[in-house]
Amino acid sequence: MLFSGGRRKKHIANPQTDLYAHALQFYGQPPLENISLSEFETFAVDRLKLLKTVENLGVSYVKLSEQYTKKLENESKNLNFPHRLDINKSTDKRRKDYISHFILRLAYCQTEDLRRWFIQQEVDLFRYRFSDLQPKQKLEFLHRNNLQYDTISIEEKKTLLDKLVNSSYGVSGITVEDQDFYKVPFQDALDLVRTRKVYLKAGYVYIPHQDIVTIVLNDFRTRLSKALALTARSLPAVHSDERLQPLLNHLSHAYVGQDYSIQKNVGKISLEQIDSVRKSFPLCMRQLHQALRENHHLRHGGRMQYGLFLKGIGLSLEQALQFWRSEFIRGKVDADKFDKAYAYSIRHMFGKEGKRADYTPYSCMKVILSNPPSQGDHHGCPFRHSDPELLKQKLQFYKVPPSGISQIMELVKGMHYQLACQKYFELTHNIDDGSFSLNHPNQYFIESQKALGGGKDLKKEMDMSQRSQENSAARRPAAAPECYECKCIFQEILNN
């Protein structure tokens, strides 16, 4: 593994730049150049923000609709990624896009859930970019990537005219003459065959130029899936670098928003208010609060998740000790045992014991992906970890209407757990369309208090305390060298 202590050298034209010659990519060859660790981190976090936007827009709007396209174009522009591919010639933006894709491959190849999420968002991003190309550029892309699908001759087109018109959506006799049709093996177009959108004859389908995107997306999905499997087998070699491993582990469930750790709002919530403000708790925290009140005990995972949430909404260390002690001694734990067995961990989460780290409240991604609950546990995400029937009962208990429950369960079925929680927020607060993207339980609390008219001051305090971790979700190791050689990572993968 090679590092350099000096500044990164100015990017000089070389064969590597050929990778960035085109705005739309299948990402076939890995980047083999030096980048700084700070650039490595920034690229990864920015792409994660972009993919999160793709996910949220894909559920909120019809894909490729005017609103969807406009919002995604604006986000691409804000994050300095390629946009309006027909006119954008920025090599720097294309380089960032290319390298950041491969960095997230390393982070999101580790589990089946991570791979599935990453592939879906990358495919949707690719669809948006491909649709932005002109017909001539699409054809050039196909040829450049060895998708040598033959166009049928004018004579064959005239012979099949009626069949092409009757079997192809949105095609008339006039448009058949004006556009190319591709003759493709049917196994490469199963989605179009399944939905009966193309003419099938002798093992080949005839696809109008406007529908060729389906074939390209299937090809991209297959290539990416195979590449992630290959990357996963090579992870042990990558993780042997102790300076890189923390970055990748954080990226796989990175939260790119406010961390709610600064305690300017300490004392804003008192012990007496906890029960009265619980209506502003997200479902995961209401579940923990109810279990604590009923059982007078929570296991370690539940204490950490709920304790840090309470810390984030303003409970001080003294109040937290009093809160947990008063609840535990109502059960099977006396005051002496509490002080010996539990008080230390509470002081620890406030940074008063051990390494004195200021632990931050868990983000939605951390709750969803880390430490799944086992029998007897109450932590985790109800939308991710609850049995579907049990989740329906909980939603009914909190007076979510049947139509709303159906919408939430559809989002859960599609593994859009944060969007399901946001829909729960909208339904329980009588809001048609939330003006925020939900990423954190403490964010849910603040937005709820704001919607209910009780959180204006709290919201102001939290906004004042927001840190610059918008661009540092993956924390850099303390004594990391300045530059890192990508070649070492990706060449290791190629050799396996």
Side-chain angles (χ1 to χ4, degrees):
M1 186 63 63
L2 301 177
F3 290 94
S4 170
R7 294 181 178 177
R8 181 171 65 84
K9 294 180 180 180
K10 186 177 180 180
H11 191 66
I12 301 174
N14 57 63
Q16 186 68 18
T17 61
D18 292 342
L19 293 177
Y20 319 132
H22 304 285
L24 189 65
Q25 296 280 358
F26 268 158
Y27 307 103
Q29 295 297 320
L32 305 175
E33 63 168 281
N34 292 341
I35 65 170
S36 67
L37 277 173
S38 62
E39 194 174 39
F40 184 100
E41 176 184 341
T42 300
F43 281 10
V45 172
D46 282 352
R47 191 175 193 90
L48 186 57
K49 290 180 181 178
L50 183 62
L51 295 186
K52 280 287 185 184
T53 300
V54 170
E55 180 187 29
N56 291 334
L57 292 178
V59 175
S60 303
Y61 303 97
V62 176
K63 292 177 183 178
L64 301 186
S65 65
E66 183 178 352
Q67 286 180 304
Y68 176 97
T69 301
K70 185 65 176 178
K71 288 179 179 292
L72 190 49
E73 180 183 336
N74 288 339
E75 185 67 6
S76 298
K77 184 177 180 180
N78 293 337
L79 293 173
N80 204 36
F81 281 104
H83 59 283
R84 300 302 300 171
L85 302 180
D86 54 329
I87 60 174
N88 196 304
K89 304 296 183 182
S90 172
T91 301
D92 288 340
K93 291 182 179 181
R94 293 176 181 180
R95 174 177 173 270
K96 177 179 181 178
D97 176 73
Y98 203 93
I99 294 176
S100 65
H101 169 86
F102 276 91
I103 295 173
L104 288 197
R105 273 193 194 182
L106 291 171
Y108 279 79
C109 71
Q110 301 179 55
T111 68
E112 182 61 32
D113 282 348
L114 290 175
R115 288 192 291 271
R116 188 184 300 114
W117 183 87
F118 180 70
I119 290 172
Q120 184 59 57
Q121 309 324 315
E122 285 286 345
V123 167
D124 285 345
L125 178 61
F126 185 94
R127 178 190 288 111
Y128 156 74
R129 289 174 170 176
F130 187 81
S131 70
D132 208 28
L133 297 177
Q134 298 298 321
K136 181 180 178 181
Q137 293 173 314
K138 291 179 181 179
L139 191 60
E140 291 173 352
F141 177 84
L142 295 178
H143 291 167
R144 190 169 65 247
N145 289 278
N146 297 318
L147 297 176
Q148 301 293 348
Y149 299 134
D150 297 325
T151 55
I152 62 176
S153 65
I154 296 176
E155 292 73 19
E156 188 176 4
K157 194 188 298 185
K158 290 180 178 178
T159 302
L160 300 173
L161 179 62
D162 291 339
K163 292 182 174 61
L164 294 177
V165 171
N166 293 330
S167 60
S168 302
Y169 178 77
V171 172
S172 65
I174 296 176
T175 56
V176 165
E177 296 178 1
D178 293 339
Q179 69 175 302
D180 288 330
F181 274 75
Y182 297 85
K183 188 176 181 180
V184 177
F186 84 95
Q187 62 267 26
D188 291 346
L190 292 178
D191 286 344
L192 293 175
V193 174
R194 186 182 302 113
T195 54
R196 301 185 180 185
K197 289 184 176 180
V198 288
Y199 176 57
L200 174 63
K201 178 184 178 182
Y204 288 89
V205 293
Y206 294 79
I207 303 176
H209 183 82
Q210 65 196 38
D211 289 334
I212 198 66
V213 62
T214 302
I215 308 299
V216 180
L217 288 177
N218 285 340
D219 196 284
F220 179 62
R221 184 187 295 273
T222 300
R223 294 184 190 212
L224 183 54
S225 180
K226 291 179 179 178
L228 287 174
L230 179 64
T231 305
R233 290 199 296 269
S234 305
L235 271 183
V238 177
H239 282 173
S240 64
D241 189 325
E242 63 183 14
R243 293 160 292 188
L244 189 63
Q245 182 180 6
L247 287 173
L248 297 178
N249 287 343
H250 278 291
L251 280 172
S252 64
H253 52 271
Y255 166 63
V256 291
Q258 183 177 339
D259 66 8
Y260 302 95
S261 63
I262 303 176
Q263 290 299 293
K264 288 184 179 180
N265 59 317
V266 164
K268 293 294 181 181
I269 300 296
S270 66
L271 286 177
E272 294 75 20
Q273 289 178 296
I274 290 178
D275 282 309
S276 63
V277 299
R278 73 180 187 277
K279 61 180 177 293
S280 288
F281 288 4
L283 193 56
C284 57
M285 299 305 168
R286 296 194 78 163
Q287 176 176 278
L288 285 164
H289 181 81
Q290 181 180 351
L292 179 62
R293 290 302 197 204
E294 291 177 355
N295 304 322
H296 311 299
H297 188 271
L298 284 177
R299 291 182 176 179
H300 177 74
R303 295 198 304 274
M304 286 296 294
Q305 182 175 324
Y306 189 41
L308 289 172
F309 170 78
L310 293 176
K311 172 189 174 185
I313 66 172
L315 209 62
S316 67
L317 172 58
E318 292 74 19
Q319 290 175 321
L321 286 168
Q322 184 181 345
F323 171 74
W324 290 102
R325 181 185 288 109
S326 64
E327 198 59 52
F328 272 46
I329 62 176
R330 293 176 63 189
K332 299 179 180 179
V333 178
D334 59 37
D336 186 57
K337 183 177 180 180
F338 177 87
D339 291 337
K340 291 180 179 179
Y342 298 101
Y344 177 90
S345 65
I346 297 171
R347 292 195 298 271
H348 190 272
M349 73 173 68
F350 276 81
K352 303 301 181 182
E353 299 286 359
K355 62 181 180 181
R356 301 187 181 277
D358 182 20
Y359 289 94
T360 60
Y362 291 174
S363 68
C364 290
M365 285 291 281
K366 185 174 180 65
V367 172
I368 290 169
L369 296 175
S370 302
N371 187 25
S374 57
Q375 187 174 3
D377 287 327
H378 298 280
H379 65 273
C381 171
F383 301 101
R384 170 66 178 88
H385 299 117
S386 291
D387 175 82
E389 289 303 317
L390 180 59
L391 177 58
K392 287 181 181 179
Q393 292 177 23
K394 290 178 182 178
L395 296 174
Q396 290 169 352
F397 179 78
Y398 291 118
K399 296 181 172 43
V400 177
S403 60
I405 293 177
S406 297
Q407 294 178 59
I408 290 173
M409 297 309 296
E410 279 298 311
L411 290 169
V412 169
K413 185 178 179 181
M415 295 182 294
H416 302 295
Y417 308 117
Q418 290 170 239
L419 295 173
C421 189
Q422 181 150 350
K423 176 58 67 175
Y424 168 79
F425 178 95
E426 293 169 2
L427 292 167
T428 54
H429 290 77
N430 296 318
I431 296 175
D432 291 334
D433 186 12
S435 59
F436 63 95
S437 177
L438 185 62
N439 291 298
H440 203 292
N442 291 76
Q443 177 195 11
Y444 182 108
F445 175 81
I446 291 173
E447 294 295 342
S448 175
Q449 285 283 288
K450 188 178 173 185
L452 297 173
K456 294 180 180 179
D457 294 336
L458 182 61
K459 173 67 175 174
K460 182 178 179 181
E461 291 284 353
M462 297 302 289
D463 286 344
M464 291 174 60
S465 73
Q466 185 166 356
R467 284 177 173 175
S468 63
Q469 75 274 12
E470 284 279 333
N471 298 314
S472 61
R475 299 183 184 278
R476 194 178 333 143
E482 179 67 21
C483 291
Y484 185 77
E485 190 167 12
C486 283
K487 182 176 182 179
C488 298
I489 309 175
F490 298 115
Q491 195 66 51
E492 189 75 47
I493 294 171
L494 289 174
N495 292 336
N496 278 276

